[in-house]
Amino acid sequence: METTTSQVLISRLADWGVDTVFGLPGDGINGLMEGLRRNADRVRFVLVHHEEAAAFMASAHAKATGKIGVCLATSGPGGIHLANGLYDAALDHAPVLAITGMQETSVLGTGYQQEVDLTKLYADVAVYNQLVVNPQQLPGLVDLAIRHAYAGRGVAHLCVPNDIQVAAAGEDPYQHVAPANPPHTAPIYLDPPVRPRDEDLDRAVHLLDGAGRTAILAGVGARGAGTLVEVLAETLGAPVVKTLPGKMVLPDDSPYTTGGLGLLGTAPSEELMGDIDTLVMLGTNFPYTKHLPEPGKVKVLQIDLEPARVGTRLPTDVPLVGDVAATLEALLPRLRRHADRGHLEKYQAAMRDWRAKMTALQDPDRDPIAPQYLAACIDGLASDDAVLCCDSGTIATWAARHFTIRGEREFYLSGNLATMAPGLPYAIAIQHAFPHRQVIALQGDGGFAMLMAEFSTACRYQLPITVVINNNNSLGQILWEQMVLGYPEHGVRFGEPQPDYAAWARASGGFGARITAPGDLRQALAEALAHPGPALLDVAVDPNEPPMPGKVNYQQAKKFATAFLHGQPHRAAIATTLFKDKIAQLRGDS
């Protein structure tokens, strides 16, 4: 059987250690599908229902494993569908390779059916973006694409026309000055040096030794360096704030952390940012600058692998370009220990108070079910090595505050893109990569509905994921954003009839249950987590529970009140919920 270009492409992916490709077939990639069939012993193909899900899966695979994630889509609309998931990978710096089809080279530019120039479409999202026009370009272009994805921590794209896909691997329709490819060798990618220069470390020591009240802001770039971050916190007497993507950098019960920052963060973290003279930023490009100290008011030290990101958010006194772990290993032995513990102890006390208030909101007797209680049940029943895949919306608030990182737990969501719908595809991809770990997808009803067909994908592959829907029958985050902006509620409640997602789960071949009473929740969740295959729990939660910021400023309160009093059709129910929350917190204080 003649070896085709597609076989060479897929085989080269396998040489790079790729064992899974997520995608959906189409007539624009039939040659590539045949290449996958002929390499089925080395690379498995995971069939999805929507290409957007395939891209989310590739993104999640890259985030969770650190290895290249690969997705495949047909020409035209298939490639267009990939875009949202590819932007998720790009904005969160996850290495992903997208492979798409294209019409035969002989008809390009003629307005042929489904002819979309995907290289132009991906020009903004891809760090490497190439149309393959000659079989001789492979496997060299695969090597270059993957190296660019790793080096640029982003998306690479190869677009392969139909006739190139099925061409003989050795075919060379053109004369070349030199061979297009070097001799076939084992693929290799080497990370660049990651330790800052000694003179830069000396500047960092000078700044930190002279610091008074210091805070550390740790992002996902500090993942794996948690022990070193705690040593830095102990040395400086500095509380540690975690970005939401960096939630798993430190355990949530660490004596050094004040939790998250911003709308989904904690009051102690918000207060801390206004009570420091020095900020250490570790592997983060936190975009919400209004929650950071006022520029110029504090000294800033920033550690990041990407030189272009250093100084993006705040004027930076000492930039250190390097890996967080390697940099801290070089820096810590040079620092003196700060004897004054008053600053750290102040925020340790504030966090004890905050945790008590959050626990008070996890009321099992509230009816309708409090979303805080739902998140707390997941937290209490999940294993110590559970992976939580969170969607965007109000559920990100409940997960941030009520799902605790402990043991080997991990937490993933769409960070900078903050798109809806990735929770379920993330869970599928991560369960594929780690079949023996407990994987949970926490989604809102709005996000789940967008890609709910992928639950049947989980059933087809018998993946033991647990999907929990925080169902407020609305676009909850948008509802509260409208109120904070002072707008009357509009277009955010779905109304009746409500879809029966539990019935969909059972029809797909999985476990499905709908919970409306708080007394039934914990047992039903335990059953779902124990189910050997895919399970779904559709939980009707209080739709009037506001995801309040950790610290409400005057303008937010004023606009909320304006919307509340003028045109808010559910103000009585919301007022009741807010009253119950306050009573619960007061009881927690007593």
Side-chain angles (χ1 to χ4, degrees), residues 496-522:
E496 300 295 336
Q498 294 188 40
D500 190 341
Y501 297 121
W504 162 245
R506 294 191 296 270
S508 297
F511 172 97
R514 177 166 171 80
I515 305 301
T516 58
D520 298 334
L521 176 57
R522 191 173 180 86

Side-chain angles (χ1 to χ4, degrees), residues 19-104:
D19 60 12
T20 305
V21 172
F22 305 97
L24 187 65
D27 61 1
I29 53 171
N30 280 333
L32 292 167
M33 293 302 301
E34 175 62 10
L36 280 164
R37 188 189 69 80
R38 295 185 188 183
N39 283 279
D41 58 330
R42 302 182 69 193
V43 180
R44 61 185 173 182
F45 176 70
V46 175
L47 174 63
V48 303
H49 286 273
H50 196 289
E51 291 91 352
E52 181 182 6
F56 280 140
M57 292 176 191
S59 178
H61 177 92
K63 291 179 181 182
T65 68
K67 299 178 180 178
I68 190 88
V70 182
C71 53
L72 175 64
T74 190
S75 56
I80 293 170
H81 285 164
L82 286 179
N84 195 40
L86 297 182
Y87 270 98
D88 175 58
L91 269 62
D92 284 350
H93 313 292
V96 164
L97 172 61
I99 304 172
T100 61
M102 178 59 75
Q103 285 69 26
E104 286 79 359

Side-chain angles (χ1 to χ4, degrees), residues 527-576:
E527 291 176 9
L529 290 168
H531 185 70
L536 182 148
L537 211 61
D538 183 8
V539 183
V541 299
D542 187 350
N544 298 305
E545 181 72 37
M548 299 297 287
K551 190 175 181 179
V552 180
N553 64 40
Y554 172 75
Q555 286 300 325
Q556 287 173 325
K558 180 181 178 181
K559 290 181 178 180
F560 183 92
T562 299
F564 191 80
L565 295 172
H566 299 91
Q568 172 47 254
H570 300 90
R571 53 184 175 270
I574 294 170
T576 300

Side-chain angles (χ1 to χ4, degrees), residues 343-372:
H343 178 62
L344 176 61
E345 290 170 357
K346 173 183 177 180
Y347 286 95
Q348 288 173 330
M351 272 308 289
R352 287 192 292 271
D353 180 64
W354 173 263
R355 290 185 182 112
K357 289 179 177 179
M358 291 301 99
T359 300
L361 296 176
Q362 300 167 7
D363 187 348
D365 298 320
R366 287 262 300 274
D367 194 359
I369 297 169
Q372 298 96 325

Side-chain angles (χ1 to χ4, degrees), residues 566-590:
H566 299 91
Q568 172 47 254
H570 300 90
R571 53 184 175 270
I574 294 170
T576 300
T577 298
L578 290 170
F579 178 75
K580 289 179 179 177
D581 284 350
K582 192 61 181 176
I583 291 296
Q585 289 180 340
L586 290 172
R587 286 174 177 168
D589 290 340
S590 62

Side-chain angles (χ1 to χ4, degrees), residues 58-317:
S59 178
H61 177 92
K63 291 179 181 182
T65 68
K67 299 178 180 178
I68 190 88
V70 182
C71 53
L72 175 64
T74 190
S75 56
I80 293 170
H81 285 164
L82 286 179
N84 195 40
L86 297 182
Y87 270 98
D88 175 58
L91 269 62
D92 284 350
H93 313 292
V96 164
L97 172 61
I99 304 172
T100 61
M102 178 59 75
Q103 285 69 26
E104 286 79 359
T105 55
S106 60
V107 298
L108 293 182
T110 67
Y112 201 76
Q113 185 185 34
Q114 295 188 335
E115 184 185 348
V116 175
D117 191 339
L118 294 174
T119 57
K120 287 184 178 179
L121 181 69
Y122 292 168
D124 179 57
V125 75
V127 297
Y128 185 84
N129 188 16
Q130 186 63 48
L131 177 68
V132 182
V133 295
N134 189 320
Q136 292 296 302
Q137 292 175 280
L138 298 171
L141 290 191
V142 175
D143 292 353
L144 284 168
I146 292 178
R147 287 179 187 139
H148 275 81
Y150 279 133
R153 290 174 176 79
V155 174
H157 171 228
L158 291 177
C159 188
V160 190
N162 278 333
D163 52 334
I164 303 298
Q165 294 174 31
V166 299
E171 185 176 314
D172 186 1
Y174 309 109
Q175 293 182 350
H176 293 96
V177 175
N181 275 314
H184 188 223
T185 57
I188 186 171
Y189 172 76
L190 297 176
D191 280 314
V194 293
R195 184 186 181 280
R197 298 171 298 186
D198 284 337
E199 54 266 39
D200 293 329
L201 291 170
D202 290 340
R203 293 174 60 216
V205 170
H206 179 74
L207 185 149
L208 295 178
D209 280 352
R213 302 182 313 280
T214 301
I216 298 168
L217 179 61
V220 71
R223 179 186 176 189
T227 300
L228 294 168
V229 174
E230 287 195 320
V231 174
L232 179 66
E234 168 60 26
T235 301
L236 300 177
V240 180
V241 179
K242 302 186 293 181
T243 68
L244 190 53
K247 182 175 173 65
M248 56 188 160
V249 170
L250 289 186
D252 281 307
D253 61 359
S254 167
Y256 300 101
T257 186
T258 59
L261 184 66
L263 294 177
L264 282 62
T266 70
S269 290
E270 289 288 320
E271 293 165 5
L272 176 63
M273 286 295 131
D275 187 29
I276 57 175
D277 56 39
T278 305
L279 178 64
V280 180
M281 301 175 69
L282 304 177
T284 177
N285 193 33
F286 186 76
Y288 305 106
T289 53
K290 68 179 181 180
H291 296 284
L292 295 176
E294 186 178 340
K297 296 292 186 181
V298 301
K299 298 290 187 180
V300 176
L301 183 153
Q302 184 174 357
I303 302 174
D304 203 290
L305 266 175
E306 176 52 59
R309 286 199 293 268
V310 177
T312 300
R313 305 306 180 192
L314 286 175
T316 302
D317 298 272

Side-chain angles (χ1 to χ4, degrees), residues 254-474:
S254 167
Y256 300 101
T257 186
T258 59
L261 184 66
L263 294 177
L264 282 62
T266 70
S269 290
E270 289 288 320
E271 293 165 5
L272 176 63
M273 286 295 131
D275 187 29
I276 57 175
D277 56 39
T278 305
L279 178 64
V280 180
M281 301 175 69
L282 304 177
T284 177
N285 193 33
F286 186 76
Y288 305 106
T289 53
K290 68 179 181 180
H291 296 284
L292 295 176
E294 186 178 340
K297 296 292 186 181
V298 301
K299 298 290 187 180
V300 176
L301 183 153
Q302 184 174 357
I303 302 174
D304 203 290
L305 266 175
E306 176 52 59
R309 286 199 293 268
V310 177
T312 300
R313 305 306 180 192
L314 286 175
T316 302
D317 298 272
V318 179
L320 294 179
V321 177
D323 172 76
V324 170
T327 301
L328 291 182
E329 286 173 351
L331 180 64
L332 285 168
R334 303 169 180 233
L335 295 174
R336 69 170 181 85
R337 185 180 186 275
H338 291 220
D340 187 356
R341 304 281 101 180
H343 178 62
L344 176 61
E345 290 170 357
K346 173 183 177 180
Y347 286 95
Q348 288 173 330
M351 272 308 289
R352 287 192 292 271
D353 180 64
W354 173 263
R355 290 185 182 112
K357 289 179 177 179
M358 291 301 99
T359 300
L361 296 176
Q362 300 167 7
D363 187 348
D365 298 320
R366 287 262 300 274
D367 194 359
I369 297 169
Q372 298 96 325
Y373 177 56
L374 171 58
C377 285
I378 296 172
D379 181 58
L381 292 171
S383 64
D384 282 353
D385 71 342
V387 180
L388 184 70
C389 302
C390 185
D391 218 303
S392 299
T394 57
I395 32 92
T397 301
W398 316 133
R401 294 176 177 171
H402 302 275
F403 181 79
T404 58
I405 296 298
R406 63 172 186 265
E408 300 300 316
R409 284 186 175 181
E410 295 182 7
F411 176 82
Y412 296 98
L413 82 170
S414 177
N416 282 307
L417 187 62
T419 181
M420 294 173 67
L424 175 57
Y426 271 30
I428 290 172
I430 293 173
Q431 190 74 81
H432 260 290
F434 302 107
H436 302 298
R437 295 186 69 172
Q438 187 182 66
V439 181
I440 303 166
L442 176 59
Q443 297 197 267
D445 54 301
F448 177 77
M450 289 181 173
L451 290 173
M452 60 186 286
E454 302 308 333
F455 187 82
S456 69
T457 301
C459 292
R460 188 183 326 117
Y461 292 99
Q462 274 303 293
L463 298 172
I465 64 170
T466 302
V467 179
V468 181
I469 302 176
N470 181 87
N471 194 338
N472 54 21
N473 197 35
S474 65

